[in-house]
Each structure stands twice: as C-alpha cells, then as structure tokens.
Amino acid sequence: TLADIAASALVSQKAPALAQAAAAVATPQIRNMGTLGGNLVQKVRCWYYRDPDRADCYKRNGSYCYAVFGASDMHAIFDGAACFAVQPSDTAVALAALDARIVVAGPEGHRVVGVDDFFIGPDVDYLRETTLARDEIVVEVRIPASALGQRSLFLKAAPRRSINFARGSIAAMVIGSPLIQSARLSLGAGAPTPRRAKSAEAHLAGKRLQPDVIAKAAELAVEGARPLGSNTYKIQLIQGLVRQALTRLAG
C-alpha cells in the first residue's frame, strides 16, 4: 500500500522521492487502502471529463475539449493535443525521476516497460493513459540499482497539501557530488503524462548545484510551455518547485 511505502525506512533510505510521493497522496484512509499500482494507473484528472453532461469530451470519444476555452486551472501547460487533462499520480512523477521499470502481467505472460514509455499522451491516443491492455495488470515496480541511495526528493504544491491533487509537483534525482554526473527531473500536474525536463537535465550535467545553475535549470524546465486561459500561473509555480528542489538537494 501507499502507507507501507511512505512508512518504509528502507524506501526512505534508498529511494526517498518515492517515499515522499507516497506520503503526499490524498488522505491517510486512502493511503491505507490504495496501492502503488492503483496510483499509477488511475484515470486523468479533469472536471469536464468527470461531468456526465459533457458527453462530447474527447476523453469520452467526442470531438471537443472544454478546457481550451473554459476553466483550465488544473489542466496541462505542456504536451496537450486533443485533451489537456493531466496525469494526477504523485508516485508516477517520483518513479519517472528514479528511472523505474513497470512489470505488467497478462495472458501472454510478463513484460517490463520503462516508466517513460508506460504512460501515453493524447498525441498518441487520447482515449488511453497507459500501455496496459484490457487484460493486463501492474504486478511489480523495479527501481534500478543505479538510482538506489542517490539524492532524490519529491515536492508537491496543492491548495490543501496532500488532500488535494497537485497543481504542480517535481521529483528530482541527481547523481554525483560535487559535480553532477547526471540528473533526472520529472514534472507533475503540468502535462498529460509525467514530463521529463530534459533540457534542464542536460544543463545540470557536469555542473555544481550553485544558485545561477539552479536558476537556469528552472528556466529551462518550463521550456515549451503553452498555458491555456487560466493556468498561466503553473509556469511560475513549476519554476519555483524546481528551484526549491535543487536547492534542497544542494544541501
């Protein structure tokens, strides 16, 4: 369960970003019942998609996205295509930073999918969110040895902390000190899938986590953002989360 992951001393030591993300999900009651697999495969978060009167929504196989001209506070600023609903999983963001693998089981046996390939954006198929077939389930999550024990963390911005879905989040992992050998930055609540900030990652490689380097990484993290009518605030929010996360990792 998510509660077990959040409370695990081993997970906190070896993959702190995952423990922190699990602790940030919803309420204690939900964390006691909800599982990591369930958190990964939940449906996208959109108040229009969940409104039974919006039958022509793209996610309902319709031909319209209400967020484009409506209230878009919670919606994507990156990678929106027909649909701008965001992936709400906190743990998915952490696992993307940790370069995790998702083990899937079905009638044909098991297969292993990298977390970056597990989620599907609307540019590929706006009716699906993951690569899971109808007769498959998630049975295991693997974090590679190269990520275990590395500096990582997860931060989430929400109106009522963990009770609400994130308005923005980040998971970051850096390898190497004082010079960074490699970094993985994953952004949440900004795109239909967990979004890697690859330009910021490339910028960090070979550098120290100094204020000017961190500021530039935050700037690069929102490269390509295209906000809708009422979610422009997410640009500054995500930049702030990136600065805060990297500053904390710098110690």
Side-chain angles (χ1 to χ4, degrees):
T1 65
L2 294 167
D4 289 337
I5 293 171
S8 169
L10 181 62
V11 177
S12 293
Q13 177 188 9
K14 296 293 188 180
L18 178 58
Q20 294 160 9
V25 174
T27 62
Q29 295 91 333
I30 290 175
R31 292 193 294 272
N32 284 334
M33 295 293 293
T35 65
L36 179 59
N39 191 253
L40 290 175
V41 302
Q42 64 183 299
K43 297 293 287 184
V44 293
R45 184 70 181 171
C46 175
W47 39 51
Y48 296 118
Y49 171 56
R50 294 167 186 267
D51 183 346
D53 295 328
R54 313 284 183 172
D56 54 346
C57 158
Y58 272 119
K59 293 296 288 183
R60 294 172 175 269
N61 205 22
S63 58
Y64 192 75
C65 178
Y66 288 88
V68 173
F69 298 107
S72 56
D73 306 39
M74 300 286 289
H75 290 78
I77 61 172
F78 302 105
D79 306 332
C83 174
F84 289 82
V86 298
Q87 167 56 241
S89 171
D90 293 322
T91 58
V93 179
L95 291 174
L98 296 169
D99 195 21
R101 308 290 187 267
I102 313 298
V103 183
V104 173
E108 304 302 319
H110 291 63
R111 60 189 179 94
V112 181
V113 186
V115 67
D116 288 340
D117 298 318
F118 181 74
F119 295 96
I120 296 176
D123 57 327
V124 175
D125 188 342
Y126 54 77
L127 295 179
R128 300 172 62 199
E129 290 83 41
T130 73
T131 62
L132 282 178
R134 291 181 178 273
D135 54 1
E136 290 182 319
I137 60 172
V138 171
V139 294
E140 186 178 333
V141 172
R142 298 175 181 171
I143 298 174
S146 58
L148 296 178
Q150 303 293 347
R151 289 180 290 166
S152 72
L153 59 71
F154 172 84
L155 296 176
K156 172 180 176 177
R160 290 186 294 168
R161 295 186 181 179
S162 66
I163 294 175
N164 279 112
F165 288 95
R167 294 296 180 95
S169 65
I170 180 174
M173 179 181 70
V174 294
I175 298 175
S177 179
L179 293 182
I180 297 173
Q181 296 174 15
S182 64
R184 290 179 68 94
L185 305 179
S186 175
L187 307 177
T193 66
R195 188 177 200 271
R196 294 271 305 288
K198 293 186 178 181
S199 294
E201 293 174 355
H203 166 71
L204 291 171
K207 298 183 177 67
R208 300 172 187 264
L209 286 177
Q210 300 174 156
D212 59 329
V213 172
I214 291 172
K216 183 62 177 180
E219 179 185 328
L220 291 171
V222 294
E223 191 176 66
R226 298 181 64 185
L228 301 174
S230 57
N231 65 4
T232 303
Y233 75 93
K234 286 194 175 189
I235 293 178
Q236 291 185 322
L237 177 63
I238 289 172
Q239 286 181 314
L241 287 169
V242 172
R243 288 194 297 268
Q244 186 178 357
L246 294 178
T247 300
R248 289 192 185 184
L249 290 175

